[in-house]
Amino acid sequence: MFSRKSSDDSTIVELLASSLRRDIAFGTLLPDQKLKLNELRTRYGGSNHSMRETLRILSTEGLVEATAQRGFRVTSATEDDVRDIAMVRCEVEKLALLRAIELGDIAWEGRVMAAHHALQKAEDAAATNPDDLVALEWDEACRAFSYALIDACDSPRLIDLQRKFFDQSRRFRLAQMREGRLDWAGRKHRQNALLDAVLTRRAEDALALLHEDVAAELRQ
C-alpha cells in the first residue's frame, strides 16, 4: 500500500509538471533555456527531489533534455525539430485513427462528436478573444478532440505515443495562435470534414484530412 507521503509527493510532482508544461507551451520558458533547480524551486515551489522527478518526467515526454553538465534545459525548437515532430505525430495518429475507424463503436462516435462540438466552441472563442485563459481552454479542446479520435484504437502504446508528440507540438500550435497565423476558417472546414469522414468510416479521406490538419498546425 502507498503511504500518504508517497501520494502527496506524486500530487506535487503532477502539479509541478503541469505548470512547467504550460510555461514551455506558452514560451515563458524558452527553447534551450537552462533549468536550474534553485530558480525553478523559487518560481514553482517543491523540493529538490520533487523538482528533479518533474524534470525526469518532462524529459521522457521530450519537453526538456539533460545537458552535458548533468543539468536540464528546455528542448530546442528549430525548424528541423518542428518537421520531425510533425512527421512522427502524423504517422502515429494516422495509424491510431485507422484502427479506431475499424474498431470504434457507437459510443466512440458519440465521444468524437462531443469533443468536436466542444472544439468548435473553443475555436470560435480563440478566434475572437485569444487571451491566455482562452488559449489554454482552446488547447485543451484541441487535445480532447485529438484523443477522442483515436481512443478506440485498442493500443495503449499508440495512445501514449500520440499524447507524447501532441504535447511536444503544443508550443508551436500556441505560437501560431498568438501570432495570428492560424486560418480559423480552414481549420473549421477540415475539422468538419474530418468528423464526417470518421463517422461515415471513410478511412482514406479521414487519414488525408488528419495529415493536412497536423501539417497546417505545425507549419512554420
Side-chain angles (χ1 to χ4, degrees):
M1 180 178 293
F2 290 109
S3 68
R4 174 64 181 273
K5 185 177 187 302
S6 176
S7 177
D8 289 346
D9 288 346
S10 296
T11 300
I12 291 170
V13 169
E14 289 173 8
L15 291 172
L16 290 171
S18 178
S19 295
L20 265 72
R21 284 191 200 100
R22 180 196 62 221
D23 285 352
I24 290 171
F26 274 91
T28 305
L29 296 173
L30 297 171
D32 297 312
Q33 179 175 335
K34 290 182 179 179
L35 301 172
K36 298 179 180 179
L37 280 181
N38 288 341
E39 293 177 3
L40 291 175
R41 287 184 58 202
T42 298
R43 184 169 188 167
Y44 298 99
S47 63
N48 277 341
H49 171 75
S50 60
M51 188 56 72
R52 285 188 182 279
E53 180 63 14
T54 298
L55 293 173
R56 186 194 65 78
I57 290 171
L58 297 183
S59 179
T60 65
E61 295 174 1
L63 297 176
V64 306
E65 57 188 26
T67 68
Q69 292 76 31
R70 302 182 68 181
F72 290 89
R73 63 174 180 144
V74 179
T75 302
S76 62
T78 66
E79 290 186 8
D80 285 343
D81 293 323
V82 180
R83 281 193 294 268
D84 194 43
I85 290 169
M87 183 269 292
V88 177
R89 184 182 151 195
C90 268
E91 295 306 311
V92 169
E93 289 195 15
K94 286 194 294 183
L95 177 57
L97 179 58
L98 179 61
R99 288 179 55 84
I101 290 173
E102 293 171 349
L103 300 172
D105 57 12
I106 293 176
W108 168 67
E109 292 181 2
R111 294 193 297 273
V112 172
M113 292 173 67
H116 175 268
H117 178 69
L119 176 58
Q120 294 310 300
K121 292 175 69 70
E123 293 258 322
D124 289 343
T128 56
N129 180 33
D131 62 28
D132 283 356
L133 178 59
V134 170
L136 276 174
E137 292 172 347
W138 170 74
D139 182 62
E140 288 301 322
C142 290
R143 173 186 282 103
F145 181 57
S146 182
Y147 289 178
L149 284 171
I150 69 162
D151 76 356
C153 74
D154 194 32
S155 172
R157 290 171 179 81
L158 269 180
I159 290 173
D160 284 346
L161 281 173
Q162 189 272 347
R163 291 181 175 181
K164 176 179 179 176
F165 289 104
F166 186 91
D167 284 345
Q168 286 186 28
S169 72
R170 285 182 78 194
R171 52 182 167 170
F172 308 115
R173 181 171 54 256
L174 286 163
Q176 282 218 54
M177 190 202 74
R178 291 197 305 271
E179 295 165 11
R181 294 189 288 120
L182 288 178
D183 175 8
W184 296 107
R187 286 175 60 83
K188 187 168 189 175
H189 173 77
R190 285 192 302 273
Q191 290 159 4
N192 288 338
L194 176 56
L195 176 67
D196 182 66
V198 166
L199 295 179
T200 55
R201 309 295 172 130
R202 291 182 286 111
E204 186 175 346
D205 291 342
L207 297 184
L209 286 160
L210 178 64
H211 185 103
E212 183 181 348
D213 202 44
V214 173
E217 199 173 84
L218 295 179
R219 188 174 296 126
Q220 295 298 290

